[in-house]
């Protein structure tokens, strides 16, 4: 970080920063793409370094926002998908995806709190895929506390180095996820083409 940034951040009112942290992390946790949840954590790290707030307060407000946002995304996603045409819902609610959700649902929910590319699809489709509210709530809470707790600590202790690591990890992970999605799409298309060919014989 530049020398000017910590001075500006440490001048923030901790109460206002806590409110902003809660709000931004709520929107991020709900699965809205492109929300920079890292920003309030950086600001919290600066205030912790200046002794104007504590690690426990920063984790409390960040994890609470992320957790409440995940519950909102879960509820709204289920309602939105219920209003989509049946053929669209069938693409999301295939038996294979339901099995994957049943077996790996907890892990996906926990990871979705930290991995942006998973957050939106997992949060918005969990209810439609049969994940009940109590397990989702439990694992979303675990994921929110781990996500905010670990990253807030890393930013507090290493500041700019941690931010660079996050940016590099996202840059490295995104192409891999895109390739995996492309491979899955090609596999699905080939399977569908083969099935149609067998039906026509």
């Amino acid at each position: 970080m530049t020398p000017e940034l910590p001075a500006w951040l440490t001048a923030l009112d901790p109460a206002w920063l806590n409110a902003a942290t809660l709000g931004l992390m709520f929107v991020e946790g709900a699965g809205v793409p492109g929300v920079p949840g890292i920003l309030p954590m950086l600001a919290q790290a600066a205030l912790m370094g200046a002794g104007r707030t504590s690690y426990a307060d920063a984790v409390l407000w960040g994890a609470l926002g992320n957790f409440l946002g995940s519950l909102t995304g879960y509820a709204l996603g289920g309602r939105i998908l219920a209003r989509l045409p049946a053929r669209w819902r069938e693409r999301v609610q295939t038996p294979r995806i339901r099995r994957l959700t049943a077996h790996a649902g907890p892990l996906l929910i926990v990871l979705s709190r930290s991995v942006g590319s998973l957050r939106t699809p997992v949060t918005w489709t969990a209810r439609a895929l049969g994940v009940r509210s109590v397990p989702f709530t439990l694992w979303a809470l675990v994921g929110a506390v781990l996500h905010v707790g670990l990253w807030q600590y890393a930013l507090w202790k290493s500041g700019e180095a941690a931010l660079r690591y996050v940016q590099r990890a996202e840059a490295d992970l995104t192409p891999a996820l895109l390739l995996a999605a492309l491979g899955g799409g090609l596999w699905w298309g080939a399977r569908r083409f083969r099935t149609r060919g067998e039906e026509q014989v």
Side-chain angles (χ1 to χ4, degrees):
M1 289 185 286
T2 62
E4 295 80 8
L5 186 56
W8 174 75
L9 288 175
T10 54
L12 293 173
D13 183 339
W16 282 105
L17 179 56
N18 289 339
T21 299
L22 179 69
L24 272 175
M25 296 301 285
F26 175 89
V27 178
E28 181 197 56
V32 178
V35 178
I38 195 76
L39 293 182
M41 287 196 280
L42 277 171
Q44 291 282 5
L47 260 67
M48 281 187 279
R52 299 190 61 217
T53 191
S54 67
Y55 172 73
D57 281 345
V59 173
L60 170 65
W61 293 106
L64 182 62
N66 188 285
F67 171 63
L68 294 176
S70 70
L71 298 185
T72 302
Y74 171 84
L76 291 179
R79 292 182 180 180
I80 292 170
L81 286 176
R83 288 169 171 75
L84 293 177
R87 59 189 178 85
W88 290 10
R89 292 199 305 271
E90 288 172 359
R91 293 181 180 179
V92 177
Q93 301 171 349
T94 63
R96 183 173 179 274
I97 294 178
R98 283 188 177 277
R99 286 195 300 271
L100 176 63
T101 303
H103 294 322
L107 178 61
L108 290 174
I109 293 167
V110 171
L111 288 177
S112 72
R113 297 299 88 211
S114 296
V115 181
S117 57
L118 289 176
R119 188 178 300 116
T120 301
V122 170
T123 304
W124 291 4
T125 63
R127 186 176 177 184
L129 291 174
V131 178
R132 297 185 180 277
S133 59
V134 172
F136 183 89
T137 300
L138 172 64
W139 293 113
L141 178 60
V142 171
V145 172
L146 287 175
H147 168 56
V148 178
L150 292 175
W151 285 116
Q152 187 66 78
Y153 186 83
L155 290 169
W156 177 29
K157 294 300 183 181
S158 56
E160 185 181 6
L163 179 60
R164 284 200 305 267
Y165 176 80
V166 172
Q167 292 171 334
R168 187 170 64 249
E170 289 182 351
D172 293 342
L173 185 60
T174 299
L177 291 172
L178 290 175
L179 285 173
L182 177 62
L186 291 173
W187 173 82
W188 178 82
R191 183 179 178 186
R192 188 175 179 87
F193 180 77
R194 186 171 60 250
T195 301
R196 283 185 176 178
E198 292 173 353
E199 290 175 351
Q200 292 175 356
V201 174

